[in-house]
Amino acid sequence: MAIDIAILFFEASLLSVSYNEAHTYFGYHGVVGYLSHLFTSVFGQNDFALRLPMILLHIGSVQLLYLISKEYLKEERERIILVLIYMILPGVISAALLVNMTGFVIFAIFLFVYIFLKHDEGLITYILLGIYLFLDHAFFYLFLGLFFYALYKKRSFLAVYSFILMSANLYLFGTDIGGYPTGHFLDALAVYSAIFSPLVFVYIVYVLYRRFLTGKIDLLWFLATTALLVSLLLSLRQRVHLEYYAPYLLLALPLAGQTFVASYKVRLPRFRRGYKLLFNLALFFLSVNFILVLANRYLYIVLDKPKKHFAYDNNIAKELASNLKNSGVICVRTDYKMQLRLRFYGIDECDRYKLSFVAEENENSKNVTVSYMSKPVYTIYVTKVNKK
């Protein structure tokens, strides 16, 4: 955990606020919008304070996953390996750093599952579900999965309560079903593979299917399977925001760990080679991805078009603001998205200077370049506006 936290803080120091994050921050959107304001009011308006709530939520999620996995994995070594795999999943790294609802939803779902496993249908379970009703649309799929679980277990009160919460959540936040039907099924599979890595995602789907055939289905199975099936069905007609669904699929990790360990241990040592190969390949690809995330700025060296970099939207703004300040520019006029990002770093909006990608033919236009690893990745011109 200490190493993980140190890495996350290092990565946070390299990132710039993206437009979506700035929109969440300045618009007080969702729980994370208020959390980020709370932390920046205490620690100052900077990237560390902005991302600290997400890192803390990530730490809590790791602890909760470890506790949840005690119900599925007997040995501590197995639980620690599961937690390690969780921490280096591409989607989890993003959720731990980026200011959006994904990190909070992961923590909230893990918290509910942990409490449910400890107290079942206790009062605290119903209170927690009632709170989740008002927080975000993403919890609709928690209520939906819980509804199917209650029907399967023939728990009438839980089924009715879940259905009421599901309906109320739909009324409060609406639905993301709309627009003209367009197929994005393959896109959804590609995004899931990017979030979990291809081998891990395929194995999770296999485990969910296998447990369905064997009848070994519980709360985690219902929550993960419901979110996966709904997202894939919707992707047949529209582009799906998988940040609403992917957190639920993370609940399948303890199930996958339990299935893998059981299949591995039941075989004689000479028949375990396939499982060792599968595990080592998955860990290898996850490790390579993790290293690429850590050294992501070096990728700019080999990319012809910097905008193709996966972290491009979370780069540029901080360095651009610093360069502008060094040039004595503390306010500019530019496009709305960059304007909002620069605002976080103390560059306000005004009509004295303007930013444009084309230099004007006068002495008032100056070049401002942002470079990573000595390679220019962003060039813009700042022009002083002469008012007559």
Side-chain angles (χ1 to χ4, degrees):
M1 282 299 303
I3 295 172
D4 185 44
I5 293 168
I7 290 172
L8 290 175
F9 272 113
F10 172 74
E11 287 299 309
S13 69
L14 300 178
L15 295 176
S16 294
V17 64
S18 69
Y19 166 70
N20 289 331
E21 290 176 316
H23 181 67
T24 298
Y25 178 78
F26 288 111
Y28 287 86
H29 293 292
V31 177
V32 294
Y34 286 94
L35 281 176
S36 58
H37 267 280
L38 174 63
F39 278 78
T40 54
S41 66
V42 176
F43 300 106
Q45 191 166 303
N46 55 72
D47 289 290
F48 286 104
L50 179 72
R51 305 188 190 283
L52 184 56
M54 310 313 301
I55 294 175
L56 293 177
L57 287 170
H58 169 73
I59 295 170
S61 299
V62 171
Q63 299 294 332
L64 287 170
L65 178 62
Y66 178 81
L67 295 173
I68 292 169
S69 65
K70 286 185 176 182
E71 303 291 330
Y72 297 88
L73 298 170
K74 295 180 180 180
E75 296 184 16
E76 184 178 11
R77 177 173 174 269
E78 297 165 356
R79 297 195 292 270
I80 290 178
I81 291 175
L82 179 70
V83 165
L84 173 64
I85 291 174
Y86 170 80
M87 288 192 293
I88 62 177
L89 287 175
V92 171
I93 298 171
S94 298
L97 287 171
L98 303 184
V99 182
N100 57 44
M101 282 297 293
T102 305
F104 177 79
V105 172
I106 293 172
F107 173 79
I109 294 171
F110 282 7
L111 178 62
F112 167 76
V113 169
Y114 172 72
I115 290 176
F116 190 90
L117 291 176
K118 289 294 181 182
H119 302 282
D120 201 11
E121 290 189 53
L123 179 61
I124 188 172
T125 301
Y126 290 108
I127 293 175
L128 194 63
L129 288 172
I131 295 173
Y132 287 177
L133 165 64
F134 301 98
L135 296 183
D136 195 78
H137 166 68
F139 293 106
F140 171 83
Y141 307 102
L142 171 62
F143 305 141
L144 181 62
L146 195 59
F147 173 71
F148 289 132
Y149 169 78
L151 289 180
Y152 177 76
K153 292 291 186 177
K154 298 180 180 179
R155 298 186 178 185
S156 302
F157 184 81
L158 182 60
V160 173
Y161 188 68
S162 301
F163 183 80
I164 292 173
L165 292 178
M166 183 173 56
S167 303
N169 185 272
L170 194 63
Y171 173 78
L172 290 173
F173 297 100
T175 176
D176 59 353
I177 300 176
Y180 295 101
T182 54
H184 294 278
F185 181 80
L186 294 179
D187 293 340
L189 292 179
V191 173
Y192 271 132
S193 297
I195 292 173
F196 292 93
S197 87
L199 276 177
V200 174
F201 174 64
V202 169
Y203 189 72
I204 285 175
V205 174
Y206 161 75
V207 167
L208 295 177
Y209 176 69
R210 177 177 171 177
R211 283 182 170 258
F212 171 74
L213 294 180
T214 58
K216 296 180 179 179
I217 53 179
D218 59 2
L219 176 65
L220 270 64
W221 185 91
F222 273 97
L223 294 179
T225 304
T226 299
L228 176 64
L229 291 180
V230 170
S231 64
L232 293 181
L233 286 173
L234 287 178
S235 70
L236 295 173
R237 73 169 308 280
Q238 68 185 65
R239 187 177 297 278
V240 177
H241 299 288
L242 292 181
E243 64 269 22
Y244 294 142
Y245 306 92
Y248 295 93
L249 211 53
L250 290 170
L251 290 173
L253 288 176
L255 304 180
Q258 184 185 51
T259 301
F260 184 89
V261 169
S263 299
Y264 180 82
K265 288 184 175 180
V266 78
R267 286 166 170 77
L268 294 172
R270 64 177 180 271
F271 297 118
R272 294 175 178 176
R273 293 178 181 177
Y275 287 87
K276 288 181 178 179
L277 178 62
L278 176 63
F279 178 81
N280 289 330
L281 279 176
L283 196 59
F284 171 76
F285 287 119
L286 284 173
S287 300
V288 169
N289 178 84
F290 188 67
I291 292 171
L292 288 176
V293 170
L294 292 184
N296 71 84
R297 292 205 172 184
Y298 288 94
L299 297 179
Y300 280 110
I301 298 174
V302 298
L303 290 176
D304 294 330
K305 296 181 179 179
K307 287 187 177 181
K308 290 185 177 181
H309 194 287
F310 66 87
Y312 185 80
D313 290 341
N314 280 95
N315 291 151
I316 310 300
K318 178 165 57 177
E319 291 80 7
L320 176 59
S322 177
N323 290 344
L324 289 173
K325 289 179 180 179
N326 291 338
S327 301
V329 178
I330 59 172
C331 63
V332 295
R333 185 178 75 251
T334 183
D335 67 274
Y336 176 73
K337 290 187 176 182
M338 183 57 77
Q339 192 82 61
L340 198 63
R341 297 176 69 189
L342 291 175
R343 179 183 168 190
F344 182 80
Y345 298 106
I347 302 294
D348 296 321
E349 182 178 3
C350 72
D351 292 326
R352 291 178 58 193
Y353 297 91
K354 68 176 181 179
L355 298 182
S356 59
F357 290 104
V358 180
E360 296 191 8
E361 296 181 357
N362 59 57
E363 65 279 5
N364 294 328
S365 190
K366 296 181 180 180
N367 174 295
V368 178
T369 300
V370 175
S371 299
Y372 295 135
M373 314 312 298
S374 300
K375 179 177 179 178
V377 298
Y378 184 87
T379 300
I380 202 163
Y381 297 90
V382 55
T383 304
K384 187 174 183 179
V385 179
N386 292 321
K387 294 184 178 181
K388 297 182 179 180

